[in-house]
Amino acid sequence: MVATGTGFAPIKGMLESLFAQGSIRPIHFYWGVRHAEDFYCHDLLSEWQSRHDHFQVTRMVSRPDASWSGATGYVTAQVIHDFPDASAIDAYICGHPDMVFSLSDALQGAGLNPEHIFADAFVFAKAKTS
């Protein structure tokens, strides 16, 4: 599961459902933001990690300041680094359209069947003209 920014909200709902069902399927959640202060639900993610051995989180900041000591860069590159052969995974992707489309393309290039990509790109509404 991969999200950028507020793309965490739909992913959060899916995770809550999986945990409530008792699923033990391995889950790696990547969450990318521009600045570390853009993360939220810190306690919830920590709780999930401590309660569910099959759940792992990678938080990434693309524009870190000196106080950030975690992963930096873009989630697309990190996911492909971690899954160079993506043929056996399902991908749930939500957030900025550039990330959603580039990660979808990269995963397909790494062997993932497009039928195993479930995505929601946050497209921008055009301003109403008078």
Side-chain angles (χ1 to χ4, degrees):
M1 295 186 161
V2 182
T4 53
T6 57
F8 172 62
I11 297 288
K12 177 182 176 281
M14 288 186 275
L15 289 168
E16 289 170 333
S17 179
L18 287 168
F19 295 144
Q21 295 170 20
S23 174
I24 57 168
R25 187 174 178 187
I27 301 168
H28 193 138
F29 171 51
Y30 297 84
W31 189 5
V33 297
R34 287 185 181 153
H35 308 282
E37 59 269 12
D38 296 336
F39 289 121
Y40 54 96
C41 291
H42 301 281
D43 294 340
L44 179 62
L45 287 172
S46 295
E47 176 189 335
W48 285 348
Q49 280 191 280
S50 67
R51 291 181 58 201
H52 304 285
D53 292 338
H54 63 288
F55 179 67
Q56 181 178 348
V57 176
T58 299
R59 292 179 185 95
M60 300 194 66
V61 176
S62 63
R63 297 178 187 163
D65 62 19
S67 67
W68 178 252
S69 62
T72 60
Y74 295 105
V75 291
T76 301
Q78 188 64 50
V79 170
I80 296 304
H81 176 268
D82 293 349
F83 295 93
D85 176 2
S87 61
I89 66 171
D90 290 324
Y92 295 82
I93 311 167
C94 191
H96 193 282
D98 291 344
M99 182 279 295
V100 170
F101 298 129
S102 67
L103 181 55
S104 294
D105 290 345
L107 287 168
Q108 289 176 63
L112 183 57
N113 182 324
E115 293 180 11
H116 291 267
I117 298 173
F118 307 93
D120 186 8
F122 288 3
V123 294
F124 305 100
K126 292 184 180 187
K128 184 178 178 181
T129 57
S130 302

XYZ file of all heavy atoms in Angstrom, residues 2-9 29-42 45 57-65 68 70-76 78 94-96 99 122:
368
model
N 0.518 2.201 -0.839
C 1.339 3.392 -1.005
C 0.430 4.616 -1.029
O -0.592 4.613 -1.716
C 2.155 3.333 -2.312
C 3.044 4.555 -2.446
C 2.956 2.047 -2.397
N 0.836 5.633 -0.285
C 0.082 6.885 -0.280
C 1.043 8.064 -0.274
O 2.163 7.968 0.220
C -0.813 6.966 0.961
N 0.569 9.154 -0.834
C 1.247 10.435 -0.660
C 0.251 11.379 -0.017
O -0.956 11.329 -0.300
C 1.754 11.023 -1.992
O 0.680 11.076 -2.936
C 2.906 10.211 -2.550
N 0.767 12.219 0.877
C -0.066 13.231 1.526
C -1.314 12.653 2.153
O -1.282 11.662 2.870
N -2.448 13.300 1.846
C -3.724 12.874 2.418
C -4.269 11.612 1.763
O -5.330 11.128 2.144
C -4.768 14.000 2.328
O -4.914 14.378 0.954
C -4.351 15.201 3.169
N -3.521 11.048 0.831
C -3.879 9.741 0.272
C -3.879 8.656 1.343
O -4.355 7.549 1.121
N -3.353 9.004 2.524
C -3.386 8.066 3.642
C -4.821 7.742 4.065
O -5.108 6.629 4.504
C -2.609 8.640 4.837
C -2.745 7.826 6.091
C -2.306 6.518 6.145
C -3.328 8.376 7.221
C -2.438 5.761 7.307
C -3.465 7.640 8.383
C -3.022 6.323 8.427
N -5.742 8.686 3.943
C -7.103 8.493 4.443
C -7.786 7.251 3.866
O -8.287 6.416 4.628
C -7.935 9.745 4.214
N 3.311 -0.654 4.137
C 2.704 0.630 3.819
C 3.793 1.687 3.672
O 4.598 1.892 4.573
C 1.710 1.026 4.921
C 1.187 2.429 4.781
C 0.644 2.888 3.583
C 1.231 3.295 5.852
C 0.175 4.180 3.461
C 0.757 4.603 5.740
C 0.231 5.040 4.540
N 3.819 2.330 2.513
C 4.742 3.430 2.229
C 3.926 4.715 2.225
O 2.917 4.809 1.536
C 5.393 3.258 0.856
C 6.251 2.039 0.731
C 5.702 0.798 0.417
C 7.625 2.115 0.917
C 6.492 -0.325 0.294
C 8.429 0.995 0.790
C 7.851 -0.226 0.485
O 8.636 -1.347 0.365
N 4.409 5.714 2.971
C 3.707 6.993 3.026
C 4.715 8.094 2.761
O 5.666 8.285 3.517
C 3.066 7.175 4.388
C 2.147 8.347 4.526
C 1.734 9.215 3.549
C 1.500 8.774 5.718
N 0.884 10.155 4.071
C 0.717 9.895 5.405
C 1.517 8.314 7.029
C -0.039 10.567 6.352
C 0.753 8.982 7.970
C -0.022 10.087 7.628
N 4.502 8.806 1.676
C 5.395 9.890 1.305
C 4.729 11.244 1.467
O 3.561 11.422 1.110
N 5.481 12.176 2.034
C 5.026 13.564 2.188
C 6.180 14.496 1.814
O 7.327 14.054 1.711
C 4.548 13.861 3.630
C 3.329 13.011 3.995
C 5.660 13.667 4.640
N 5.881 15.759 1.641
C 6.938 16.720 1.341
C 7.753 17.072 2.581
O 8.963 17.110 2.545
C 6.341 17.995 0.752
C 5.853 17.813 -0.652
C 5.389 19.121 -1.242
N 4.901 18.890 -2.594
C 4.001 19.624 -3.182
N 3.475 20.651 -2.565
N 3.618 19.346 -4.412
N 7.054 17.365 3.666
C 7.692 17.811 4.901
C 7.246 16.901 6.042
O 6.082 16.485 6.093
C 7.307 19.262 5.212
C 7.534 20.188 4.057
N 8.781 20.656 3.738
C 6.685 20.695 3.146
C 8.687 21.435 2.664
N 7.429 21.471 2.272
N 8.131 16.627 6.968
C 7.828 15.697 8.062
C 6.579 16.099 8.843
O 5.833 15.236 9.307
C 9.026 15.579 8.991
N 6.329 17.391 8.980
C 5.153 17.827 9.727
C 3.841 17.517 9.004
O 2.751 17.686 9.572
C 5.233 19.317 10.087
C 5.359 20.248 8.916
C 6.808 20.557 8.520
O 7.746 19.892 9.002
O 6.996 21.473 7.705
N 3.920 17.022 7.765
C 2.716 16.629 7.027
C 2.174 15.273 7.468
O 1.043 14.909 7.128
C 2.994 16.607 5.521
C 3.328 17.980 4.968
O 2.922 18.990 5.574
O 4.019 18.045 3.929
N 2.960 14.490 8.199
C 2.469 13.211 8.715
C 1.465 13.453 9.834
O 1.563 14.427 10.572
C 3.623 12.368 9.284
C 4.555 11.812 8.249
C 5.902 12.134 8.280
C 4.107 10.947 7.264
C 6.780 11.619 7.344
C 4.970 10.428 6.314
C 6.313 10.764 6.356
N 0.516 12.547 9.963
C -0.427 12.581 11.073
C -0.741 11.138 11.472
O -0.240 10.199 10.847
C -1.693 13.376 10.712
C -2.391 12.928 9.446
C -3.468 12.052 9.496
C -1.983 13.384 8.191
C -4.120 11.635 8.343
C -2.619 12.980 7.032
C -3.691 12.103 7.108
O -4.320 11.692 5.964
N -1.514 10.947 12.507
C -1.864 9.611 13.020
C -0.629 8.822 13.458
O -0.569 7.605 13.301
C -2.678 8.813 12.004
S -4.337 9.438 11.731
N 0.350 9.512 14.018
C 1.586 8.854 14.457
C 1.307 7.713 15.434
O 1.842 6.620 15.285
C 2.525 9.868 15.129
C 2.915 10.999 14.238
N 3.877 10.877 13.271
C 2.451 12.271 14.171
C 4.004 12.041 12.644
N 3.153 12.896 13.165
N -0.342 4.579 13.763
C 0.592 3.753 12.998
C 1.526 2.974 13.918
O 1.816 1.799 13.670
C 1.387 4.618 12.024
C 0.600 5.126 10.817
C 1.418 6.126 10.027
C 0.157 3.985 9.932
N 5.736 -0.186 8.148
C 5.546 1.177 7.626
C 6.886 1.773 7.237
O 7.864 1.655 7.970
C 4.892 2.100 8.687
C 4.791 3.529 8.159
C 3.533 1.595 9.086
N 6.905 2.423 6.079
C 8.039 3.244 5.673
C 7.505 4.647 5.416
O 6.683 4.843 4.522
C 8.725 2.702 4.402
O 9.225 1.399 4.665
C 9.854 3.619 3.954
N 7.963 5.590 6.234
C 7.598 6.994 6.051
C 8.738 7.671 5.299
O 9.899 7.492 5.648
C 7.406 7.677 7.405
C 6.213 7.188 8.189
C 6.161 7.931 9.529
N 5.114 7.445 10.383
C 5.280 6.525 11.331
N 6.456 6.005 11.554
N 4.258 6.148 12.072
N 8.378 8.461 4.280
C 9.393 9.118 3.461
C 9.075 10.598 3.313
O 7.921 10.970 3.127
C 9.463 8.472 2.087
C 9.825 7.005 2.149
S 10.296 6.342 0.556
C 11.784 7.254 0.254
N 10.117 11.407 3.374
C 9.979 12.853 3.214
C 10.796 13.270 1.994
O 11.987 12.978 1.901
C 10.465 13.592 4.488
C 10.424 15.094 4.283
C 9.609 13.182 5.691
N 10.145 13.962 1.064
C 10.847 14.364 -0.162
C 11.610 15.675 -0.004
O 12.542 15.935 -0.755
C 9.867 14.456 -1.335
O 8.901 15.454 -1.105
N 11.206 16.511 0.946
C 11.887 17.786 1.180
C 12.224 17.906 2.673
O 11.642 18.727 3.383
C 11.009 18.947 0.732
C 10.727 18.908 -0.761
C 9.824 20.031 -1.170
N 9.450 19.854 -2.573
C 8.453 20.452 -3.151
N 7.707 21.302 -2.470
N 8.175 20.233 -4.419
N 13.150 17.077 3.131
C 13.430 17.047 4.569
C 14.205 18.268 5.044
O 14.952 18.873 4.286
C 14.290 15.793 4.723
C 14.985 15.664 3.407
C 13.999 16.151 2.375
N 13.997 18.595 6.319
C 14.850 19.593 6.946
C 15.866 18.849 7.815
O 15.871 17.616 7.862
C 14.046 20.635 7.733
C 13.259 20.028 8.884
O 13.576 18.899 9.334
O 12.319 20.681 9.361
N 14.823 15.881 10.303
C 14.287 14.591 9.845
C 15.413 13.572 9.731
O 16.413 13.806 9.051
C 13.581 14.739 8.502
C 13.064 13.434 7.959
C 13.556 12.729 6.894
C 11.968 12.668 8.447
N 12.840 11.585 6.688
C 11.849 11.518 7.646
C 11.071 12.832 9.501
C 10.871 10.545 7.843
C 10.095 11.875 9.706
C 10.002 10.741 8.886
N 14.599 10.153 9.101
C 14.053 8.974 8.432
C 14.410 8.923 6.957
O 15.301 9.619 6.479
N 13.663 8.090 6.240
C 13.884 7.900 4.809
C 13.550 9.174 4.040
O 12.625 9.904 4.397
C 13.027 6.740 4.302
N 14.313 9.421 2.989
C 14.083 10.591 2.151
C 13.938 10.160 0.698
O 14.362 9.071 0.304
C 15.242 11.604 2.268
O 16.450 10.974 1.845
C 15.392 12.098 3.697
N 13.322 11.010 -0.092
C 13.132 10.724 -1.507
C 11.668 10.493 -1.815
O 10.785 10.974 -1.096
N 11.449 9.755 -2.887
C 10.087 9.516 -3.359
C 9.702 8.057 -3.161
O 10.519 7.152 -3.355
C 9.968 9.899 -4.835
C 10.164 11.387 -5.051
C 11.345 11.877 -5.581
C 9.170 12.287 -4.708
C 11.535 13.242 -5.764
C 9.343 13.648 -4.889
C 10.522 14.118 -5.413
O 10.700 15.464 -5.592
N 8.438 7.843 -2.805
C 7.974 6.478 -2.538
C 8.098 5.585 -3.767
O 8.368 4.392 -3.642
C 6.541 6.445 -1.980
C 6.476 7.008 -0.580
C 5.564 7.143 -2.890
N 7.936 6.140 -4.943
C 8.031 5.328 -6.165
C 9.380 4.617 -6.235
O 9.440 3.406 -6.450
C 7.827 6.200 -7.418
O 6.536 6.810 -7.343
C 7.926 5.386 -8.684
N 11.476 4.015 -3.802
C 11.664 3.095 -2.680
C 10.902 1.791 -2.887
O 11.421 0.712 -2.602
C 11.239 3.753 -1.372
C 11.597 2.930 -0.150
C 13.106 2.775 0.010
O 13.836 3.756 -0.029
N 13.563 1.552 0.201
N -2.659 5.444 -3.582
C -3.570 6.573 -3.450
C -2.791 7.861 -3.206
O -1.872 7.888 -2.387
C -4.518 6.317 -2.278
S -5.873 7.471 -2.216
N -3.161 8.910 -3.922
C -2.516 10.193 -3.697
C -2.378 11.009 -4.958
O -3.207 10.939 -5.866
N -1.286 11.755 -5.012
C -1.021 12.661 -6.123
C -0.984 11.882 -7.443
O -0.371 10.818 -7.528
C 0.303 13.387 -5.894
C 0.493 14.541 -6.809
N 0.870 14.392 -8.125
C 0.334 15.870 -6.601
C 0.947 15.579 -8.685
N 0.629 16.495 -7.783
N 2.418 10.556 -8.792
C 2.922 9.372 -8.096
C 2.135 8.138 -8.492
O 2.702 7.089 -8.794
C 2.866 9.573 -6.574
C 3.423 8.405 -5.757
S 2.330 6.975 -5.480
C 1.035 7.680 -4.479
N -5.686 11.499 -6.899
C -6.386 12.716 -6.482
C -6.207 13.769 -7.576
O -5.265 14.552 -7.550
C -5.828 13.236 -5.166
C -6.188 12.397 -3.970
C -6.912 11.222 -4.080
C -5.797 12.790 -2.715
C -7.233 10.453 -2.977
C -6.114 12.038 -1.596
C -6.840 10.870 -1.731
